[in-house]
Amino acid sequence: KAGVTQTPRYLIKTRGQQVTLSCSPISGHRSVSWYQQTPGQGLQFLFEYFSETQRNKGNFPGRFSGRQFSNSRSEMNVSTLELGDSALYLCASSRDRDRKTTNEKLFFGSGTQLSVL
Amino acid sequence: KQEVTQIPAALSVPEGENLVLNCSFTDSAIYNLQWFRQDPGKGLTSLLLIQSSQREQTSGRLNASLDKSSGRSTLYIAASQPGDSATYLCAPYGGGSGGGADGLTFGKGTHLIIQP
């Protein structure tokens, strides 16, 4: 069973540009979450999608957006890139959205390393 | 807002030792807590998940305990091996208003080095 796949693995952009990152969840998983990891702030939750709808959103500016397609694949977009957006962006999937009463784990991809110059 | 602290931030021990990694969180109203490991430049690998109603979970040489009321979890690694070298992250799910967010809240992690 294939794991969570993120593309591209590395990306270099310049300030002001926009970028789109892609995530393919594990087959059968309908929930996709995105996280940003930086040395200073650690891992921070960006947003979660389930059945093509954004269910939850972290404390990030509107430049960060995402969407989910009918096949559960998700994309994340960052517009007007800033130097501080340089980070490892991680995508995670799970079968169910409701992980509150189940043993539903999150499975992470290897991430996309974004460098903004 | 949920805040997670992991102690120690870094640890270097010789192979074969048993060790304990600590995690504390400020809001005990959590649903569950996961422990992950992260290898350099890689994503996260889920190690153990403990439901809020459970006290501990075991997988091989790993044992995680949860004391929800005191906001603490520990990860015990028995007979450590060089392959255990990684950053270990704890992440409670739930707790705190988090500005509406409903994702995991991560600690900064414990960077573990097992010397051969």
Side-chain angles (χ1 to χ4, degrees), chain B residues 14-25:
Chain B
E15 179 179 4
E17 285 202 3
N18 302 323
L19 47 97
V20 175
L21 309 182
N22 297 292
C23 169
S24 61
F25 45 95

Side-chain angles (χ1 to χ4, degrees), chain A residues 9 35 37 56 99 102-103 109, chain B residues 32 38 41 43 51 102 104:
Chain A
R9 184 70 181 91
Y35 289 81
Q37 186 175 31
N56 297 291
R99 302 190 305 277
T102 69
N103 288 324
Chain B
N32 57 55
Q38 184 175 30
Q51 285 293 336
D102 197 26
L104 296 180

Side-chain angles (χ1 to χ4, degrees), chain A residues 20-79:
Chain A
T20 299
L21 312 181
S22 179
C23 171
S24 293
I26 291 173
S27 178
H29 285 196
R30 297 169 64 192
S31 172
V32 173
S33 305
W34 288 89
Y35 289 81
Q36 181 197 64
Q37 186 175 31
T38 59
Q41 298 297 319
L43 273 152
Q44 293 183 287
F45 172 69
L46 280 158
F47 29 65
E48 177 187 11
Y49 286 86
F50 182 81
S51 292
E52 303 178 63
T53 302
Q54 185 182 90
R55 296 293 184 167
N56 297 291
K57 190 176 190 302
N59 295 321
F60 278 82
R63 300 184 297 106
F64 292 82
S65 64
R67 59 178 175 168
Q68 186 180 35
F69 302 95
S70 58
N71 61 358
S72 294
R73 189 178 71 86
S74 177
E75 288 182 348
M76 190 193 99
N77 185 275
V78 187
S79 63

Side-chain angles (χ1 to χ4, degrees), chain A residues 9 35 37 40-43 45 56-59 88 90 97 99-106 108-110, chain B residues 31-32 34 36 38 41-44 46-49 51 54 89 93 98-104 106 108:
Chain A
R9 184 70 181 91
Y35 289 81
Q37 186 175 31
Q41 298 297 319
L43 273 152
F45 172 69
N56 297 291
K57 190 176 190 302
N59 295 321
L88 180 65
L90 293 163
R97 175 179 177 269
R99 302 190 305 277
K100 297 176 182 176
T101 57
T102 69
N103 288 324
E104 203 64 41
K105 294 180 181 179
L106 277 186
F108 282 80
S110 296
Chain B
Y31 304 111
N32 57 55
Q34 270 187 260
F36 296 87
Q38 184 175 30
K42 300 285 183 64
L44 280 64
S46 180
L47 298 172
L48 290 162
L49 181 148
Q51 285 293 336
Q54 297 175 319
L89 297 147
Y93 179 49
D102 197 26
L104 296 180
F106 285 86
K108 292 289 180 68

